[in-house]
Amino acid sequence: MSAIKPPTTLDASEDERAQARANCAARARERGEDPLALEFEMGTQDQGWAVRHELNQIRAEGQGHG
């Protein structure tokens, strides 16, 4: 049996994290999931897939505009 790895810290600037949280919250609200949107805004979902995926999207978009 393998050991469960502890969550890693997000390697992102505060601006990137804020944008990812806002984007995820907006999509949650569009789906009518206001409690989840609030969790995104408060940063309690930072270790989840959605925020990590959004950070990757933000970075990919940023690399194309250099």
Side-chain angles (χ1 to χ4, degrees):
M1 181 185 324
S2 62
I4 297 173
K5 296 179 183 177
T8 57
T9 304
L10 290 178
D11 183 23
S13 71
E14 189 59 39
D15 287 342
E16 289 174 324
R17 285 191 301 264
Q19 184 63 52
R21 290 171 183 154
N23 293 352
C24 290
R27 280 196 293 281
R29 279 202 174 82
E30 288 171 1
R31 296 188 307 264
E33 299 180 38
D34 290 341
L36 180 59
L38 183 59
E39 287 185 33
F40 281 122
E41 291 171 344
M42 294 174 61
T44 58
Q45 290 290 321
D46 282 359
Q47 297 303 321
W49 178 87
V51 172
R52 292 175 180 279
H53 177 74
E54 191 63 32
L55 282 171
N56 287 332
Q57 292 293 106
I58 290 168
R59 290 175 179 154
E61 290 171 4
Q63 289 176 359
H65 297 112

